[in-house]
Amino acid sequence: MEITRILVVGSGAMGSQIAMVCALTGLEVSVQDLAEASLEKAQTELRSRMDRSVAKGRIGADERDLAFARITFGTDLPAAAKGADFVIEAAVEKLEVKRELFAELDRLTPEHTILATNSSSFVPSKIADATSRPDRVVNMHFFNPALVMRCVEVVRGPQTSDATVATTVELAERIGKLPVVLDKEIPGFVANRLLNAVRDEAIRLLEGGYASVEAIDTAARTALGHPMGPFELMDLTGIDIGYHTKQARYDETGDPADLPSRSVTEKVERGELGRKTGTGWYDYTEQGDH
Ligand SMILES: NC(=O)c1ccc[n+]([C@@H]2O[C@H](COP(=O)([O-])OP(=O)(O)OC[C@H]3O[C@@H](n4cnc5c(N)ncnc54)[C@H](O)[C@@H]3O)[C@@H](O)[C@H]2O)c1
């Protein structure tokens, strides 16, 4: 199926950059949000990011201008949905919001339209039954920052059709990404599960007294070639993010193995969340050493 018009729902950190990735490769994109302020912020941030790319010679000024000319920003979902061939939903990570959006998109979009979610944690089967087209519901999971990161996970649910997977893979390739297909859905998908396994083992080693934060990070960088160690990465993304993800998983499964670890819980209770608070596993204040 020929995809020409993309609808991106949600203009936050992910939606705005996903829209630009699509527009840069010649697709017509509509970005819809509930909040005018978010749409304005998205445009301002994209402007300065693309201006930097032009200044660094990564893209031409005409390429930038053509890409912006292909994107429309607005708050009229019904009008935008009417002409969409492919929807990428990147709204807030709340299941009820996504289910309501998918039900609405199902009513508003043409029959052939594929409804994809960029959700990091909700698998297709959590959302597909809110629509009358579960065969055309799929996860198309980008990584942050979407303009830079090349991997896109394409996750099929039990009802996702082969044609939907094939079209999503084609679209990912067309916009210059490297699709990774999951043949069966699993929360966390592939990349984040691998990342979380390393993080959890790092915390076990620390809590067991086997090695220090610095030693574990050094091993990850110098023996495994990771660009940063698991503790440095937690400080960068925010220790609270992993804490809340684990807590949510525990609330779902009731399995004590899914609970956040002792040391992470202590950090969160003390408000030591990483770089954003000045202290996490390392100290980032003036007198700090990291
Ligand atoms: N941030 C990441 O690192 C990352 C990475 C991969 C995937 N994701 C996923 O992408 C999605 C968006 O994440 P984000 O970080 O861009 O969030 P964000 O909070 O930056 O942006 C969410 C946007 O959605 C808008 N929104 C909320 N409800 C809406 C609705 N009903 N209709 C239209 N717009 C609505 C909000 O106004 C906001 O602008 C989430 O599902 C998240 O799991 C995030």
Side-chain angles (χ1 to χ4, degrees):
M1 190 184 59
E2 177 75 24
I3 303 282
T4 52
R5 280 178 295 185
I6 308 285
L7 165 60
V8 177
V9 182
S11 64
M14 296 304 292
S16 56
Q17 292 204 16
I18 292 169
M20 182 51 78
V21 167
C22 294
L24 280 167
T25 48
L27 292 157
E28 296 293 327
V29 188
S30 168
V31 184
Q32 297 295 313
D33 203 295
L34 297 174
E36 291 279 0
S38 175
L39 288 162
E40 272 161 36
K41 186 169 169 232
Q43 290 173 78
T44 313
E45 285 182 0
L46 281 177
R47 280 265 163 225
S48 65
R49 190 173 256 273
M50 300 319 288
D51 288 349
R52 281 200 304 278
S53 289
V54 172
K56 288 182 181 159
R58 290 203 195 109
I59 61 164
D62 50 341
E63 222 179 314
R64 171 200 60 195
D65 297 344
L66 280 171
F68 273 109
R70 289 189 200 103
I71 312 181
T72 50
F73 295 86
T75 54
D76 188 351
L77 187 65
K82 250 191 266 169
D85 298 313
F86 197 104
V87 178
I88 304 173
E89 173 275 319
V92 66
E93 189 72 342
K94 289 192 182 146
L95 186 58
E96 269 328 295
V97 171
K98 292 197 190 289
R99 287 181 61 86
E100 271 171 34
L101 257 174
F102 271 67
E104 200 181 351
L105 289 163
D106 185 38
R107 285 193 298 273
L108 296 171
T109 52
E111 212 186 313
H112 71 269
T113 309
I114 289 175
L115 307 179
T117 176
N118 181 47
S119 173
S120 294
S121 47
F122 303 122
V123 290
S125 65
K126 290 263 181 203
I127 299 172
D129 66 346
T131 75
S132 64
R133 60 179 92 186
D135 57 314
R136 274 152 289 159
V137 174
V138 68
N139 277 59
M140 187 177 189
H141 183 235
F142 290 77
F143 290 81
N144 194 8
L147 271 161
V148 178
M149 303 301 277
R150 292 204 68 199
C151 183
V152 167
E153 290 172 323
V154 177
V155 187
R156 75 183 301 161
Q159 290 175 285
T160 312
S161 69
D162 291 346
T164 297
V165 173
T167 304
T168 310
V169 163
E170 259 170 52
L171 175 64
E173 284 169 346
R174 176 163 170 200
I175 60 176
K177 300 298 183 194
L178 289 168
V180 168
V181 176
L182 272 83
D183 302 321
K184 203 160 93 170
E185 63 181 33
I186 183 165
F189 317 139
V190 171
N192 285 332
R193 288 184 77 88
L194 293 176
L195 193 65
N196 293 346
V198 170
R199 180 200 59 201
D200 291 350
E201 186 57 31
I203 291 170
R204 261 193 296 275
L205 289 167
L206 176 74
E207 291 186 354
Y210 297 102
S212 67
V213 164
E214 291 81 1
I216 296 165
D217 276 350
T218 303
R221 270 189 275 101
T222 61
L224 306 179
H226 292 186
M228 62 178 81
F231 294 103
E232 291 169 316
L233 185 58
M234 276 186 268
D235 276 358
L236 184 68
T237 53
I239 295 174
D240 52 323
I241 305 284
Y243 172 85
H244 289 303
T245 309
K246 285 229 143 187
Q247 192 63 51
R249 186 71 51 81
Y250 171 73
D251 291 346
E252 210 178 312
T253 65
D255 181 352
D258 287 332
L259 272 170
S261 68
R262 173 177 52 75
S263 53
V264 164
T265 304
E266 280 167 16
K267 289 267 176 229
V268 171
E269 281 169 0
R270 283 204 295 267
E272 295 175 1
L273 307 180
R275 283 177 186 268
K276 63 186 172 190
T277 59
T279 319
W281 298 107
Y282 295 94
D283 186 359
Y284 301 91
T285 53
E286 292 269 302
Q287 57 283 29
D289 54 359
H290 211 68

